């Protein structure tokens, strides 16, 4: 009888790409991960753990402020502070979904501006700006790796992401009362409903990622548990469009984890999207008119993002 190997999330050391000793070797591993499951973890990324932990400290202080103080920071398009139950990511896939997510978030974009970046705690802006710039650079490096993985020139995506629309989100999942959580069902109460990400790629850091699950192509939910100094990378819908489904934008969710009940959960996803005016059309080498025709019409990145954000927030949103 055939036994299928359980799917795991691969761990890739990107140092040989960054230092130039084996760029294609790293790219091949990335390409395989993007085809198989659309998720991988990276080490060797050169972003110091103490910077990540500083961001976590500042974010914790922010979320501990009184609600009315947090609500002073708010801007359109899901920026600034969003309280619990404002966002419904499940609706980005199924219009009728009413699952409100049990999380609050602070959502930052560069450049730093008052209505999006809070004044309190006082160190938050400097620490988060420094982290934002590091992870923005990492995203550019990953896009170059993606190009090599797709057998394109390394700079293929450069002019499509040199004015990328990016958002750094800090998510706080307040502690759950263990008596309200039922582990016996197949569909536990989610803390963040199942969804795919909208753009090119997401770079996630969490001090404890337990509870995050990704759905394999075979339909099983796989735990994504990363060592604290690794980032979790997954690709988004526009990357899947770009590659004509060769790469997969994977459904993922956050569910209660029995070992972390009664504690808050925090994660810092950085969402990377193409330039708003980039036209996303099938990449050369990802289609063949006879055997593998193009599955998507070309779409402007901006139109796709406005549609997804509007569905998540339940009202029409336009990029500024």
């Amino acid at each position: 009888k055939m036994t299928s190997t359980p799917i795991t999330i691969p761990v890739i050391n990107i140092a040989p790409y960054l230092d130039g000793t084996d760029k294609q070797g790293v790219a091949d591993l990335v390409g395989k991960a993007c085809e198989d499951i659309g998720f991988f973890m990276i080490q060797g990324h050169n972003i110091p753990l103490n910077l990540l932990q500083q961001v976590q400290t500042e974010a914790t202080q922010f979320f501990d402020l009184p609600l009315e103080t947090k609500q002073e920071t708010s801007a359109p398009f899901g920026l600034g502070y969003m309280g619990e139950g404002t966002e419904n990511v499940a609706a980005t896939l199924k219009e009728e979904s009413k699952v409100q997510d049990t999380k609050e978030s602070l959502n930052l974009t560069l450049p730093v501006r008052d209505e999006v970046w809070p004044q309190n705690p006082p160190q938050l802006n400097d620490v988060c700006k420094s982290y934002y710039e590091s992870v923005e650079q990492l995203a550019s490096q990953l896009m170059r790796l993606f190009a090599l993985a797709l057998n394109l020139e390394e700079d293929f995506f450069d002019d499509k992401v040199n004015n990328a629309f990016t958002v750094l989100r800090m998510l706080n999942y307040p502690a759950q009362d263990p008596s309200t959580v039922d582990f016996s069902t197949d569909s536990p109460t989610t803390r963040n409903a199942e969804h795919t990400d909208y753009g090119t790629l997401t770079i996630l850091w969490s001090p404890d990622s337990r509870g995050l699950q990704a759905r394999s192509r075979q339909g099983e939910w796989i735990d994504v548990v990363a060592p604290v100094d690794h980032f979790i990378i997954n690709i988004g819908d526009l990357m899947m469009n770009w590659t004509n489904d060769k790469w997969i934008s994977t459904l993922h969710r956050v569910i209660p984890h029995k070992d972390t009940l009664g504690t808050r959960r925090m994660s810092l996803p950085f969402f990377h999207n193409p330039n708003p005016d980039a036209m996303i059309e099938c990449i050369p080498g990802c289609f063949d008119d006879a055997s593998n025709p193009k599955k998507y019409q070309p779409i402007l990145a901006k139109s796709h993002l406005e549609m997804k954000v509007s569905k998540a927030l339940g009202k029409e949103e336009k990029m500024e």
Side-chain angles (χ1 to χ4, degrees):
K1 124 177 192 277
M2 297 284 290
T3 53
S4 61
T5 6
I7 296 181
T8 53
I9 308 293
V11 176
I12 300 172
N13 179 6
I14 65 166
Y17 171 78
L18 297 178
D19 66 21
T21 52
D22 186 11
K23 288 184 164 188
Q24 194 61 49
V26 177
D28 292 344
L29 293 171
V30 166
K32 181 165 176 12
C34 291
E35 272 187 55
D36 290 348
I37 184 141
F39 263 78
F40 55 99
M41 299 181 227
I42 59 169
Q43 60 190 107
H45 48 69
N46 294 342
I47 297 179
L49 181 59
N50 67 349
L51 177 58
L52 292 158
Q53 288 164 332
Q54 279 179 288
V55 176
Q56 184 195 351
T57 302
E58 295 302 322
T60 302
Q61 289 185 359
F62 173 79
F63 289 123
D64 286 345
L65 292 168
L67 183 62
E68 54 276 20
T69 309
K70 293 186 282 194
Q71 286 171 334
E72 288 165 10
T73 305
S74 169
F77 212 64
L79 297 174
Y81 175 73
M82 278 205 278
E84 282 188 63
T86 331
E87 189 177 28
N88 171 0
V89 291
T92 60
L93 298 173
K94 297 191 281 293
E95 299 277 1
E96 68 284 1
S97 172
K98 295 284 180 278
V99 186
Q100 294 297 332
D101 301 324
T102 59
K103 64 173 193 292
E104 55 178 343
S105 59
L106 177 61
N107 308 284
L108 306 176
T109 53
L110 287 179
V112 174
R113 53 194 173 101
D114 282 352
E115 60 274 29
V116 176
W117 292 66
Q119 306 306 300
N120 256 324
Q123 306 301 313
L124 181 137
N125 288 3
D126 286 348
V127 169
C128 290
K129 180 170 185 275
S130 166
Y131 177 60
Y132 202 126
E133 288 165 351
S134 306
V135 83
E136 206 169 36
Q137 183 186 8
L138 178 59
S140 303
Q141 292 160 334
L142 287 167
M143 290 303 293
R144 294 184 144 207
L145 259 172
F146 284 179
L148 290 179
L150 292 162
N151 302 312
L152 302 163
E153 292 294 323
E154 191 175 354
D155 63 2
F156 176 85
F157 292 112
D158 285 14
D159 64 348
K160 302 161 188 69
V161 297
N162 55 2
N163 180 33
F165 175 69
T166 58
V167 182
L168 174 62
R169 304 194 69 188
M170 290 169 226
L171 306 181
N172 183 49
Y173 299 85
Q176 280 175 304
D177 173 353
S179 65
T180 62
V181 180
D182 178 5
F183 286 105
S184 62
T185 63
D186 279 342
S187 51
T189 341
T190 53
R191 301 180 87 172
N192 200 357
E194 57 186 73
H195 62 284
T196 56
D197 291 346
Y198 319 148
T200 36
L201 64 98
T202 303
I203 300 174
L204 172 78
W205 181 75
S206 178
D208 183 347
S209 66
R210 287 178 299 178
L212 176 63
Q213 295 185 321
R215 196 162 177 261
S216 71
R217 284 188 187 255
Q218 291 70 39
E220 320 165 63
W221 287 103
I222 296 156
D223 292 318
V224 184
V225 181
V228 72
D229 58 350
H230 290 34
F231 286 108
I232 298 165
I233 312 293
N234 65 277
I235 62 168
D237 301 338
L238 286 178
M239 205 68 223
M240 190 163 171
N241 283 25
W242 241 334
T243 63
N244 207 31
D245 292 1
K246 179 184 169 83
W247 286 6
I248 183 167
S249 171
T250 304
L251 272 174
H252 49 285
R253 66 183 183 185
V254 175
I255 60 166
H257 189 285
K258 59 184 183 322
D259 298 334
T260 62
L261 276 180
T263 57
R264 71 199 303 170
R265 181 180 188 280
M266 188 171 285
S267 70
L268 308 175
F270 174 81
F271 294 99
H272 180 273
N273 303 281
N275 300 349
D277 63 357
M279 187 57 77
I280 309 303
E281 46 196 329
C282 191
I283 288 169
C286 288
F287 67 95
D288 173 310
D289 289 331
S291 62
N292 180 25
K294 297 182 185 180
K295 298 183 173 69
Y296 303 98
Q297 293 296 318
I299 185 168
L300 201 62
K302 178 178 186 223
S303 314
H304 169 80
L305 286 169
E306 287 177 339
M307 173 192 78
K308 286 287 194 177
V309 171
S310 298
K311 285 182 177 179
L313 298 179
K315 57 183 195 287
E316 192 178 1
E317 292 280 352
K318 293 284 182 213
M319 290 176 80
E320 291 168 12

